[in-house]
């Protein structure tokens, strides 16, 4: 049996708040297998973003263990964490966070600059990523010339261009209308199927949830419910 | 990555334009002030060296103690022999005899009666020998307003302002009254060959320049000279060489207790020149320091504000797998790039203004009327090789320092916090 891509055991994360501490995650255990298309749902403050940050090696656990692709997040050095993110994890943000001075092509290419790829290879990969999200014709556009939906598709291309095993998407549809929300989640779903990339969403958007194969509900930093979703084909 | 950085800097005006403008202003001011100080101080230094101190000067010990009084009764005897010895021992230098004297000149009318009289200071220099550089040293050709240089014995140059005051023209005769080195009265007739304006109020108030042989004859100073001046053949004062030469020369006379024994002084040992040189050096260093400090404070704040605004970018870059160290290093590279661009433009502007001030100058003669300091009335900037790079020191250093300080924020924030600021 294939090893899970994310293995979380008894994770607790506390943040100092003044003289006391705030517990964001409490004794949370979760196993995520490769190729899953799953979501973390729950109200604000339930710990979704904190959990994504720890899985993405941007933060470390206070207690418990988190293993991503077999690497313990707690013991990673800054350099090792950066390498893990650089080669294996893609991020998609709620507000796209495209760099405004660069073109669409360069925004996507930026992710590859830290890898030792030739300019030709980078170009090939970037154009392929833009093809996945249907934006090859916008390669030379600046982010300011794009709609919200197009910007988020560029953000997806940027996350996917290095072909990571895991993509973490934090409220990716929060700033989009219904049509665009469906479009970008469908795009991600397609990539999940074609490239077998694992997607973990943080969302409370019903439109996103209907595409998820698994929904983990968080409440007060704990797993309240963990259920597989059965999709009925029309 | 460098292409990306460059495009980011050029594309993001707030990241580049303001820092470049600040650097540009600071660098151009640094260059301009450097050239100005070099010009003013350097020109004064050269003028003092040419007219008064030489790069080194030999006098009798007694003369040296009263040098400001021009005490020709304490002058060097056997000056020709000593000059020849100096030429043999220190062939890298041009050795010249000089007599400085004070006196009065009398301009007669057509009947030979006194029409006007006035006090003058005089320089006796070698004007007539072939190969003498004294006329060049006194910049006489360029300073000549009317007439010509003395070409025969008995001719003299007088300062133009003085000549105008007494309505004297080239070809007019005058009598110089002074005292011999034995203290008796001396007088000799001269013909005005030309009038000169040196551009220094101290000199232009009233001075005459006569040939050395004429002065020796008039003042009873055959084979004597008040001073023997040495000039490096490069015409640039070199303190280390001057020190070596004076040390070697003076060592020969340490056992000699005669007050008329010769003593050699460097330029910086005379008339407060040491303070003057040190002051100009200190001012130059201080100026660069002040600009580095001031620009660093401004650019630190600019960098800090820019850095805060760029936490989004840093967050994205961290998420994409860039290390904090790498982001910090790119900030420093950016600083070097912006500093270099600003320094190049600022140096260009500073040099342009300096060039204008070098060619045109600023007339400060009005405020120097009663000054005894030997400095030109029209002060000018001087573009030296230093001016081409001095601005780069504060220019690059301040931006790098500003970015380095601002970039510390990347380390002070936890990665997740930086990342959180994305939203």
């Amino acid at each position: 049996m294939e090893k899970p891509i994310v293995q979380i055991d008894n994770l607790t994360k506390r943040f100092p708040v003044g003289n006391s501490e705030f517990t964001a995650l409490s004794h949370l255990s979760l196993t995520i297998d490769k190729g899953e298309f799953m979501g973390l749902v729950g109200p604000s403050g339930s710990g979704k973003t904190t959990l994504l940050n720890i899985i993405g090696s941007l933060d470390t656990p206070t207690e418990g263990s988190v293993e991503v692709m077999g690497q313990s997040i707690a013991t990673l050095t800054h350099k090792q964490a950066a390498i893990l993110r650089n080669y294996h994890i893609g991020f998609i943000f709620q507000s796209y966070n495209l760099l405004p001075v660069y073109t669409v092509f360069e925004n996507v290419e930026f992710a590859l600059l830290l890898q030792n790829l030739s300019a030709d290879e980078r170009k090939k990969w970037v154009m392929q990523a833009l093809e996945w999200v249907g934006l090859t014709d916008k390669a030379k556009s600046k982010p300011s010339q794009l709609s919200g939906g197009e910007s988020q598709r560029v953000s997806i291309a940027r996350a996917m261009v290095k072909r990571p095993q895991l993509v973490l998407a934090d409220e990716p549809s929060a700033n989009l209308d219904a049509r665009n929300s469906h479009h970008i989640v469908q795009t991600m779903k397609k990539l999940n199927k074609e490239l077998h990339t694992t997607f973990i969403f943080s969302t409370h958007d019903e439109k996103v949830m209907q595409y998820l194969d698994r929904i983990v509900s968080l409440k007060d930093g704990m797993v309240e419910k963990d259920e597989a979703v059965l999709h009925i084909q029309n | 990555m460098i292409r990306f950085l460059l495009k980011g800097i050029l594309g993001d005006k707030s990241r580049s334009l303001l820092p470049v403008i600040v650097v540009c202003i600071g660098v151009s001011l640094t260059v301009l002030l450097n050239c100005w100080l070099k010009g003013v101080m350097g020109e004064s230094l050269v003028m003092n060296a040419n007219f008064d101190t030489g790069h080194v000067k030999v006098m009798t010990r007694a003369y040296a103690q009263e040098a400001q009084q021009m005490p020709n009764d304490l002058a060097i005897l056997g000056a020709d022999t000593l000059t020849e010895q100096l030429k043999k021992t220190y062939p890298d230098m041009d050795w010249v005899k000089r007599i400085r004297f004070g006196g009065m000149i009398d301009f007669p009318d057509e009947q030979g009666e006194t029409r006007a009289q006035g006090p003058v200071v005089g320089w006796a220099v070698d004007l007539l020998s072939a190969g003498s550089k004294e006329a060049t040293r006194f910049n006489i050709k360029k300073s000549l307003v009317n007439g010509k240089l003395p070409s025969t014995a008995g001719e003299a140059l007088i300062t133009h302002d003085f000549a105008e005051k007494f309505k004297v023209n080239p070809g007019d005769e005058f009598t110089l009254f002074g005292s011999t080195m034995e203290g008796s009265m001396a007088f000799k007739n001269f013909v005005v060959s030309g009038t000169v304006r040196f551009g220094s109020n101290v000199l232009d108030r009233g001075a005459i320049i006569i040939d050395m042989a004429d002065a020796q004859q008039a003042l009873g100073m055959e084979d004597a000279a008040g001073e023997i001046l040495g000039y490096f053949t490069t015409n640039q004062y070199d303190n280390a060489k001057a020190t070596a030469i004076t040390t070697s020369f003076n060592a020969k006379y340490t056992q000699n207790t005669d007050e008329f024994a010769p003593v050699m002084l460097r330029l910086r040992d005379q008339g407060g020149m040491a303070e003057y040189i040190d002051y100009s050096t200190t001012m130059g260093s201080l100026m660069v320091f002040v600009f580095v400090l001031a620009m660093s404070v401004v650019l630190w704040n600019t960098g800090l504000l820019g850095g805060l605004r760029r936490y989004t970018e840093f967050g994205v870059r961290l998420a994409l797998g860039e290390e904090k160290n790498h982001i910090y290093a790119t900030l420093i590279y950016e600083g070097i790039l912006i500093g270099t661009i600003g320094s190049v433009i600022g140096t260009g502007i500073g040099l342009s203004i300096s060039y204008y001030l070098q060619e045109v100058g600023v007339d400060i003669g009005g405020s120097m009327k009663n000054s005894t300091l030997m400095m030109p009335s029209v002060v000018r900037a001087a573009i030296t090789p230093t001016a081409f790079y001095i601005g780069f020191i504060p220019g690059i250093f301040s931006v790098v320092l500003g970015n380095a300080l601002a970039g510390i924020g990347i380390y002070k924030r936890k990665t997740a916090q930086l990342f959180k600021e994305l939203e």
Side-chain angles (χ1 to χ4, degrees):
Chain A
M1 188 180 167
E2 200 171 359
K3 216 177 164 189
I5 195 160
V6 178
Q7 178 70 56
I8 302 168
D9 291 313
N10 210 23
L11 168 66
T12 296
K13 179 67 184 178
R14 285 188 284 268
F15 293 106
V17 180
N19 292 327
S20 59
E21 284 186 323
F22 166 72
T23 303
L25 297 169
S26 176
H27 304 289
L28 185 147
S29 295
L30 201 62
T31 300
I32 301 167
D33 290 322
K34 191 165 170 34
E36 280 200 53
F37 198 75
M38 60 91 70
L40 303 169
V41 300
S44 291
S46 60
K48 304 187 296 287
T49 300
T50 304
L51 183 55
L52 279 188
N53 282 346
I54 293 173
I55 295 171
S57 75
L58 294 164
D59 213 342
T60 50
T62 310
E63 289 167 18
S65 91
V66 176
E67 279 191 13
V68 177
M69 283 163 258
Q71 298 190 62
S72 170
I73 296 297
T75 57
L76 289 179
T77 62
H78 284 298
K79 192 176 176 127
Q80 288 168 330
I83 290 170
L84 180 68
R85 288 196 296 275
N86 188 10
Y87 286 91
H88 303 296
I89 302 175
F91 288 86
I92 297 168
F93 313 103
Q94 176 181 327
S95 48
Y96 330 132
N97 290 309
L98 301 179
L99 303 176
V101 293
Y102 301 112
T103 62
V104 165
F105 182 94
E106 288 162 341
N107 263 281
V108 178
E109 188 189 18
F110 201 98
L112 298 176
L113 284 175
L114 301 165
Q115 300 181 2
N116 291 324
L117 294 174
S118 68
D120 286 343
E121 277 179 305
R122 288 203 305 271
K123 187 176 179 184
K124 191 175 140 195
W125 286 30
V126 170
M127 290 314 289
Q128 188 167 38
L130 288 175
E131 202 177 311
W132 289 335
V133 297
L135 283 176
T136 45
D137 57 329
K138 299 279 183 182
K140 288 181 181 171
S141 302
K142 288 280 178 73
S144 58
Q145 298 168 303
L146 304 177
S147 67
E150 286 171 335
S151 296
Q152 193 59 297
R153 279 151 64 196
V154 175
S155 178
I156 294 168
R158 183 175 61 186
M160 291 301 298
V161 71
K162 51 194 182 182
R163 297 155 203 227
Q165 295 180 54
L166 176 63
V167 171
L168 305 173
D170 194 2
E171 305 279 6
S173 61
N175 291 339
L176 300 177
D177 57 26
R179 198 176 126 264
N180 275 309
S181 295
H182 280 293
H183 191 176
I184 65 119
V185 184
Q186 282 166 357
T187 304
M188 288 191 269
K189 184 81 182 174
K190 187 181 79 175
L191 293 169
N192 165 252
K193 294 283 179 209
E194 288 176 5
L195 303 173
H196 212 51
T197 306
T198 308
F199 279 82
I200 305 176
F201 292 85
S202 149
T203 187
H204 47 252
D205 184 348
E206 294 289 338
K207 298 183 291 295
V208 173
M209 284 186 220
Q210 64 184 282
Y211 291 93
L212 301 175
D213 297 330
R214 179 185 173 193
I215 296 176
V216 175
S217 303
L218 298 181
K219 190 178 178 189
D220 299 330
M222 290 180 279
V223 176
E224 187 188 41
K225 207 161 47 175
D226 183 350
E227 56 189 358
V229 179
L230 183 65
H231 296 287
I232 300 165
Q233 300 291 326
N234 286 331
Chain B
M1 186 55 97
I2 290 168
R3 180 175 62 85
F4 258 74
L5 282 179
L6 194 61
K7 185 162 185 185
I9 290 170
L10 296 176
D12 187 353
K13 296 278 186 291
S14 62
R15 225 159 110 189
S16 52
L17 195 62
L18 182 62
V20 165
I21 288 172
V22 173
V23 171
C24 206
I25 293 169
V27 168
S28 49
L29 285 174
T30 307
V31 172
L32 179 61
L33 282 175
N34 179 268
C35 291
W36 183 251
L37 277 176
K38 290 274 182 208
V40 174
M41 303 231 170
E43 228 171 301
S44 297
L45 205 68
V46 169
M47 197 169 217
N48 272 280
N50 286 343
F51 280 80
D52 183 15
T53 63
H55 292 149
V56 295
K57 187 196 274 186
V58 179
M59 299 164 278
T60 64
R61 285 175 188 161
Y63 185 101
Q65 284 178 358
E66 309 288 340
Q68 294 303 317
Q69 308 295 323
M70 297 177 276
N72 285 328
D73 54 325
L74 307 174
I76 301 164
L77 295 176
D80 293 343
T81 313
L82 183 55
T83 307
E84 287 309 312
Q85 280 175 5
L86 287 166
K87 282 179 181 174
K88 271 186 193 164
T89 318
Y90 309 106
D92 289 343
M93 299 195 83
D94 185 26
W95 296 97
V96 292
K97 290 173 286 185
R98 293 247 181 108
I99 296 173
R100 292 171 61 201
F101 56 93
M104 182 175 281
I105 52 178
D106 179 290
F107 299 100
D109 60 15
E110 286 166 357
Q111 281 74 46
E113 300 295 324
T114 297
R115 177 172 63 80
Q117 280 185 335
V120 287
V121 289
W123 272 267
V125 299
D126 183 3
L127 292 173
L128 302 178
S129 300
S132 170
K133 294 175 185 166
E134 290 288 77
T136 310
R137 218 162 263 141
F138 275 70
N139 201 22
I140 291 175
K141 274 187 186 165
K142 283 187 182 171
S143 306
L144 206 61
V145 182
N146 287 322
K148 61 177 183 61
L149 265 72
S151 53
T152 59
E155 288 188 331
L157 291 166
I158 63 173
T159 49
H160 188 73
D161 295 350
F162 188 75
E164 275 193 331
K165 190 176 167 186
F166 293 104
K167 297 183 175 57
V168 177
N169 293 305
D172 290 352
E173 286 192 0
F174 69 87
T175 306
L176 169 69
F177 291 92
S179 63
T180 66
M181 69 180 292
E182 280 84 24
S184 55
M185 193 174 177
F187 52 89
K188 181 173 169 59
N189 290 338
F190 287 92
V191 175
V192 176
S193 72
T195 61
V196 287
R197 184 179 283 133
F198 293 113
S200 168
N201 278 41
V202 180
L203 302 172
D204 291 336
R205 275 200 291 264
I208 65 168
I209 297 174
I210 59 176
D211 183 58
M212 188 71 187
D214 282 340
Q216 285 177 322
Q217 188 192 12
L219 305 175
M221 293 178 71
E222 278 83 5
D223 197 22
E227 305 161 349
I228 300 171
L229 275 57
Y231 291 93
F232 291 109
T233 45
T234 56
N235 218 25
Q236 296 290 320
Y237 177 67
D238 182 333
N239 194 52
K241 278 187 186 171
T243 305
I245 290 169
T246 48
T247 306
S248 127
F249 180 84
N250 292 332
K252 295 175 200 165
Y253 300 95
T254 46
Q255 303 300 320
N256 192 335
T257 54
D258 185 357
E259 66 172 334
F260 291 102
V263 63
M264 188 186 283
L265 299 180
R266 299 171 303 175
L267 178 150
R268 62 174 287 129
D269 298 328
Q270 304 171 56
M273 293 307 283
E275 290 80 3
Y276 191 75
I277 293 168
D278 293 343
Y279 176 74
S280 68
T281 309
T282 308
M283 281 298 288
S285 309
L286 191 68
M287 188 187 66
V288 171
F289 176 74
V290 165
F291 276 99
V292 167
L293 199 69
M295 287 201 291
S296 295
V297 170
V298 176
L299 291 168
W300 172 19
N301 282 293
T302 310
L304 201 60
L305 290 172
L308 286 172
R309 211 176 51 80
R310 292 176 64 193
Y311 279 155
T312 298
E313 179 196 328
F314 298 154
V316 171
R317 288 165 64 176
L318 285 170
L320 292 174
E322 195 168 349
E323 282 183 72
K324 282 183 176 181
N325 285 349
H326 193 263
I327 294 176
Y328 191 78
T330 58
L331 267 181
I332 302 297
Y333 296 148
E334 276 187 33
I336 294 170
L337 205 61
I338 289 169
T340 306
I341 293 169
S343 298
V344 168
I345 300 170
T347 300
I349 294 170
L351 286 174
S352 305
I353 302 170
S354 299
Y355 180 74
Y356 174 78
L357 288 174
Q358 181 177 272
E359 295 302 307
V360 177
V362 176
D363 191 347
I364 58 162
S367 57
M368 298 291 289
K369 276 182 179 149
N370 298 315
S371 171
T372 54
L373 189 66
M374 198 181 289
M375 65 181 296
S377 341
V378 177
V379 284
R380 297 167 193 277
I383 297 175
T384 60
T386 316
F388 287 87
Y389 66 81
I390 188 122
F392 284 77
I393 301 168
I396 295 176
F397 183 72
S398 59
V399 195
V400 171
L401 185 67
N403 274 16
L405 291 172
I408 290 171
I410 297 170
Y411 293 99
K412 285 199 169 175
R413 280 171 158 73
K414 283 188 169 182
T415 305
Q417 181 62 28
L418 267 173
F419 194 65
K420 200 175 172 185
E421 286 175 28
L422 281 172
E423 308 297 337

